[in-house]
Amino acid sequence: MASAMTIALEILSGGQRGQRFLVREPSFTVGRAPHNHIVLPDAHLSSEHAQIFREDDKYIFKDLKSTNGSRIQRRDGSLVYVDGTTGFEAIVFDGDKLLLGDPVEPVIVGCALAPASSQLEPIATLPGASSPTVPAMQLGRSAQAPVTGKSSPSEPAEAQEPEHRVLARRPLTEADEVAGKVERDPVLASGLLALSKRLGRRGLDLQAVFEGIAESVFELLPLGTHIAIELTDGSEAKMATVFGAARKGEAKPEAKVSDGKPAAPIRASRAVIRRVLSERAAVLFANAPQDLAGAASIMGARIQSIIGVPLWEGEEIRGVIQCDNRSSAAMFRERDLELLLVLAGQATLAIENARLHQRLRLAEEQLRTENRYLKSREEKRRPVEPIGHSPAFREVLKQVQKVTDTRATVCIEGETGTGKELIASLIHTQSSRRDKLFVAQNCAAVPDTLLESELFGHKKGAFTGADADKKGLFEVADGGTLFLDEIGEMSLGLQAKLLRVLQEGEVRAVGATQPRKVDVRILCATNRSLEKEVAEGRFRQDLYYRLKVYPIRLPPLRERREDIGLLSEHFLHKYSNEMKKPVPGFTSEALAQLVAYNWPGNVRELENEVHRLVIQVDPESFITPDLLAPRMRQAEGLMDRIAPQKGQLKDMMEEVERFLLIQALKDHGGNKTRTAETLGITREGLHKKLAKFGL
């Protein structure tokens, strides 16, 4: 009778493990989508994975052509594939288990047929159901007895992995004894020697070594049909299948099953791996479906018998080799276990050599990439062509020439935008270190917690996220020049470590126990007054004296107004070429206003302004005063008062400068000290300019 039976379900594995249902509906669906009667959220299930319906006095399971398929495991351990060969349907019997989705780690649903007259309290109603669901009975046991008490994910015996029975095992402590036993057999010893030579001929290519191991295993074990190799650092959590292969003539991992979906790749069984690692032994399961009952990967692959051996080197386990017999009724023997254990010792050496070679090759490639990058960056850094003929700038160039070929630490001082890094680069390119790297680091651009690692490097594991050794900039610049911009922003702790480098010529990476000698010339720059920082306790006095061996002060642009015209023309040429826009130049009025402006941002501000002007001006047009930024056009009335006569640029600029000097002296009643302060120059510089113009 159709109403004589109901079906009870219990989720034994997966995201909903422990959930139980007794369903009286004649038909219901199971899947990931929320509209299913029973929702299983596991990602490897399909949205509508399967349907279960009642037909006469039987329940039928129908796979709705899901992506990862379905299987039914009978009470006797046999497996029914619900696929195209069965019309995607199969009868569900009492005690069956539905294996849904991933062939290796499926969602397991236990089934029991219960009398429709069972007196159970309802707990929920399935979406769309006309009758309530009720707590299920203990699935896989008698369908007559209801469950009492609260359900728990660990309650059903079927949900727990059974104790697996091993026919033979050889612990690693007996590996040498087993090897000696094999070597005493001339035939076996000769065969293993030949296989060992074959592995040696595979060279240092890791994939070729894996393939050589597979060939050797299949030759050594005639019953072996499939092999999987897993590598580890000794813990199961970090195991990963790196190679799987089938004997020629057996189904390959890429073979297609009948419904057109790819078969699951060859992987080692978690149950076998756990046994090998926990017991530190080679193990033989002679009857896999029986001895490993409940291990889904064993049942899904229809494996008859299995050997799992550690890849061993001394007492260290480097991985696991699993060899399966999936076609013969005959079983692996103890002799097969011992042969594979001995071969695994030789295979481990070949794998480790190949892995070491692979790591070295990757490290060399990374080093070559870094060197190519640094060299290309250095090649792009063309020698600095100093631009300027003002007395203040010529004085800077004289100081640079005096210090280029010394080991003296140079401290470049100047306002923001005066070109401190360009002067540092000029010192490097004119020195004997020009063939080595020039490395620049802005100390204000990196958080203090990271700057130490950036400068000195770190060892693997020194802190969270340090997953590899890293060279610091001192090591990268070894033999060359390291430029530390905004040195005044460095913390006191890092200042102490920098002082040690200057005193001892050695650096110690974060997490390292030994220092390393380096030959690096230090150039630094700051826009702060280090004397003031020392006085206020923010900069170490001993480091201050080490850095200021040879100070160079870069004058602000307002102290070298004679260079504004040259710099403006240089930047105009640079950006007009870059934008492929011909701009003939500046009008005399526009240039006069550029000269009159104070340029608080110095050369960088001038470059940005010229860049903007090139973008704004029409092709083939001169840059006129109306195009200048509003803050610069404030000098228009002043320009009308100056009204320099047209002529050569140098003469017009001198006329403007002479006017400005006279005007400033008048504003301060002839007080030269206040006049010099207003103009942003020294009193000595003012005297030179007054003498130049005969004032």
Side-chain angles (χ1 to χ4, degrees), residues 101-127:
D102 189 333
V104 176
E105 296 182 358
V107 172
I108 302 176
V109 181
C111 304
L113 301 183
S117 58
S118 296
Q119 299 300 313
L120 299 172
E121 293 298 324
I123 59 171
T125 302
L126 293 179

Side-chain angles (χ1 to χ4, degrees), residues 1 31 55 113 126 147 205 253 285 296 358 368 427 443 492-493 504-505 511 515 606 627 682 686:
M1 298 288 295
E55 191 174 88
L113 301 183
L126 293 179
V147 176
D205 179 75
F285 301 94
Q358 187 180 61
R368 282 194 296 269
I427 294 173
C443 298
L492 289 171
E504 308 296 337
L606 175 61
L627 297 176
T682 63
L686 177 61

Side-chain angles (χ1 to χ4, degrees), residues 147-159:
V147 176
T148 58
K150 210 171 183 181
S151 64
S152 165
S154 61
E155 185 178 339
E158 290 77 10

Side-chain angles (χ1 to χ4, degrees), residues 168-172 174 178 181 280-283 334 337-338 341:
R169 63 186 292 275
R170 290 291 182 271
L172 275 184
E174 299 178 8
V178 171
K181 174 182 175 183
R280 298 182 58 78
V283 292
E334 190 172 336
L337 177 71
E338 295 177 343
L341 178 62

Side-chain angles (χ1 to χ4, degrees), residues 93 95 102 134 172 225 246 269-270 275 300 307 363 374 388 409 416 426 471 501 532 579 603 619 672 695:
F93 294 103
D102 189 333
V134 294
L172 275 184
T225 60
S269 163
R270 296 290 103 184
R275 199 65 176 263
I307 295 178
L374 292 171
T409 303
T416 298
L426 178 63
K471 281 187 176 182
V501 178
K532 183 178 179 182
M579 299 172 63
V603 179
K672 295 178 182 177
L695 299 175

